[in-house]
Amino acid sequence: MRTSAIAVSGLRKAYGDKVVLDGIDFDVAAGSIFSLLGPNGAGKTTTVNILTTLLTADAGTVSVAGHDSVTATRQVRAAIGVTGQYAAVDELLSGRENLQLMADLKRVPSGGQLVTRLLERFDLVDSADKLAATYSGGMRRKLDLAMTLVGNPQIIFLDEPTTGLDPRSRRTMWGIVRELVAEGTTIFLTTQYLEEADQLADRIAVLNGGRLVAQGTPDELKRQIPGTHVRFRFTDVYELDTAARVLPEATRDDEELTLRVPSDGETRSLRGLLDRLDAHSIDALEFSVNRPDLDDVFLALTETPNTDTDRISKEAIAQ
């Protein structure tokens, strides 16, 4: 069993009478990708700001890389890297100079060698000596993440890292994230792209109105939402008619020659449906198990936000 890279218990935060986080609990396993989802104003940014020591919680405990976020702030900051929603690169410096600046600030031994390795890893060698102001959005994102890796953080917080990127650049970032996790890095991801969480996350937590309304693997969350069904397609109307009599609970589509049967999608249920058809010598041309996707999960678990909690937390940091 993997140890916890992040452990959160009873986390609370309020601004006046407005409760932003209402006692949330979760663990993030070391060397995994944990994704926090939620509508705007749910408290995602506030959570990230507390975990990265930018805010102090009103109650609860937070352990990051084995250190208490309140009593061991310096140790926590030394163990983490943070990439925000907007690439934090200096546009008046080249890509190489941005990386070298980070290496100097963190007093990394052999910083020049590290800079060269990062430029190669992120495919930025050809543009290394060009001003960051000339970089595309995808290149800036890669440079920003490369800068985050200076110092070899154990845990990286990615706050909507692919916002505004085209599909190709987004998938490139996904590949880099997977490589980092394969090397043992822990990733805490917030994203507005549900496909991104589905593709990357080992576990997902859904935050709504300051409370965690669900946690689990992507598949576990999908199974919580009704709508899973088995779809059978037949060769002709005769077989469709026969199958419809055997499976009266099904919804039929004459044009597509299909039956849609409500099911939990588990092996035993599927076998039962196939056995019922086989007992009447009915062969389906094809069948598939269709589950709700993360969009369905998200819509079912959240509601239209009526708070500005994330905006409030950003204003509090600025003050």
Side-chain angles (χ1 to χ4, degrees), residues 95-103 115 118-119 143 146-147 150:
R96 188 188 306 277
E97 289 168 338
N98 269 283
L99 288 168
Q100 187 63 56
L101 176 61
M102 292 300 297
V115 168
L118 288 171
L119 289 170
L143 177 59
M147 291 166 62
V150 174

Side-chain angles (χ1 to χ4, degrees), residues 222-286:
K222 292 171 191 175
R223 285 197 291 268
Q224 293 182 21
I225 305 302
T228 299
H229 63 276
V230 179
R231 181 179 181 272
F232 294 99
R233 188 161 72 89
F234 300 92
T235 55
D236 53 45
V237 175
Y238 173 77
E239 285 202 341
L240 177 65
D241 288 338
T242 306
R245 288 193 292 270
V246 174
L247 304 173
E249 71 273 29
T251 302
R252 63 184 287 166
D253 184 326
D254 287 23
E255 184 176 344
E256 297 290 334
L257 297 176
T258 61
L259 291 181
R260 173 174 167 161
V261 187
S263 170
D264 59 13
E266 301 298 331
T267 303
R268 181 175 298 179
S269 301
L270 180 57
R271 185 182 296 116
L273 291 173
L274 293 173
D275 287 345
R276 288 166 65 184
L277 293 175
D278 187 58
H280 292 80
S281 300
I282 304 171
D283 290 321
L285 183 63
E286 63 182 39

Side-chain angles (χ1 to χ4, degrees), residues 8 24-28 33-39 42-44 47 51 187-191 194 197-198 201-208 211-218 220-221 224 294 297-298 301-302:
V8 175
I24 66 174
D25 308 270
F26 60 84
D27 287 322
V28 179
I33 302 177
F34 181 92
S35 183
L36 185 64
L37 302 180
K44 301 188 302 300
T47 302
L51 297 183
I187 302 292
F188 188 101
L189 170 72
T190 70
T191 178
L194 299 183
D198 202 359
D202 297 298
R203 288 186 64 80
I204 293 172
V206 182
L207 186 64
N208 190 48
R211 296 185 178 183
L212 288 181
V213 294
Q215 291 190 62
T217 67
E220 287 171 346
L221 294 183
Q224 293 182 21
L294 273 188
V297 173
F298 186 83
L301 293 176
T302 61

Side-chain angles (χ1 to χ4, degrees), residues 11-291:
L11 192 63
R12 292 183 57 85
K13 183 66 179 179
Y15 296 96
D17 60 357
K18 188 177 292 295
V19 177
V20 181
L21 298 174
D22 192 11
I24 66 174
D25 308 270
F26 60 84
D27 287 322
V28 179
S32 71
I33 302 177
F34 181 92
S35 183
L36 185 64
L37 302 180
N40 292 334
K44 301 188 302 300
T45 297
T46 300
T47 302
V48 171
N49 287 338
I50 291 174
L51 297 183
T52 56
T53 75
L54 295 177
L55 280 177
T56 302
D58 297 332
T61 60
V62 174
S63 173
V64 178
H67 305 291
D68 185 277
S69 64
V70 176
T71 62
T73 301
R74 181 175 297 179
Q75 291 91 327
V76 169
R77 291 180 178 177
I80 67 174
V82 182
T83 298
Q85 297 180 26
Y86 306 98
V89 302
D90 190 328
E91 295 187 348
L92 299 180
L93 299 179
S94 68
R96 188 188 306 277
E97 289 168 338
N98 269 283
L99 288 168
Q100 187 63 56
L101 176 61
M102 292 300 297
D104 292 343
L105 289 173
K106 294 190 175 183
R107 300 178 180 177
V108 176
S110 304
Q113 296 178 20
L114 173 63
V115 168
T116 298
R117 290 199 301 271
L118 288 171
L119 289 170
E120 292 172 349
R121 177 173 189 173
F122 286 83
D123 194 24
L124 293 171
V125 174
D126 291 342
S127 55
D129 297 311
K130 297 178 181 178
L131 293 182
T134 67
Y135 284 15
S136 66
M139 292 169 64
R140 291 189 189 199
R141 278 296 186 184
K142 289 196 292 184
L143 177 59
D144 192 27
L145 184 52
M147 291 166 62
T148 300
L149 294 186
V150 174
N152 195 29
Q154 301 174 45
I155 303 167
I156 296 177
F157 291 85
L158 300 180
D159 190 9
E160 299 191 9
T162 63
T163 297
L165 297 189
D166 61 76
R168 185 183 299 276
S169 297
R170 185 173 300 129
R171 291 185 180 276
T172 298
M173 289 292 289
W174 292 358
I176 293 171
V177 169
R178 291 190 181 104
E179 290 175 4
L180 291 172
V181 174
E183 295 168 1
T185 306
T186 303
I187 302 292
F188 188 101
L189 170 72
T190 70
T191 178
Q192 60 178 315
Y193 301 110
L194 299 183
E195 180 194 9
E196 185 162 271
D198 202 359
Q199 288 283 334
L200 295 177
D202 297 298
R203 288 186 64 80
I204 293 172
V206 182
L207 186 64
N208 190 48
R211 296 185 178 183
L212 288 181
V213 294
Q215 291 190 62
T217 67
D219 284 342
E220 287 171 346
L221 294 183
K222 292 171 191 175
R223 285 197 291 268
Q224 293 182 21
I225 305 302
T228 299
H229 63 276
V230 179
R231 181 179 181 272
F232 294 99
R233 188 161 72 89
F234 300 92
T235 55
D236 53 45
V237 175
Y238 173 77
E239 285 202 341
L240 177 65
D241 288 338
T242 306
R245 288 193 292 270
V246 174
L247 304 173
E249 71 273 29
T251 302
R252 63 184 287 166
D253 184 326
D254 287 23
E255 184 176 344
E256 297 290 334
L257 297 176
T258 61
L259 291 181
R260 173 174 167 161
V261 187
S263 170
D264 59 13
E266 301 298 331
T267 303
R268 181 175 298 179
S269 301
L270 180 57
R271 185 182 296 116
L273 291 173
L274 293 173
D275 287 345
R276 288 166 65 184
L277 293 175
D278 187 58
H280 292 80
S281 300
I282 304 171
D283 290 321
L285 183 63
E286 63 182 39
F287 67 87
S288 60
V289 177
N290 297 271
R291 301 183 186 278

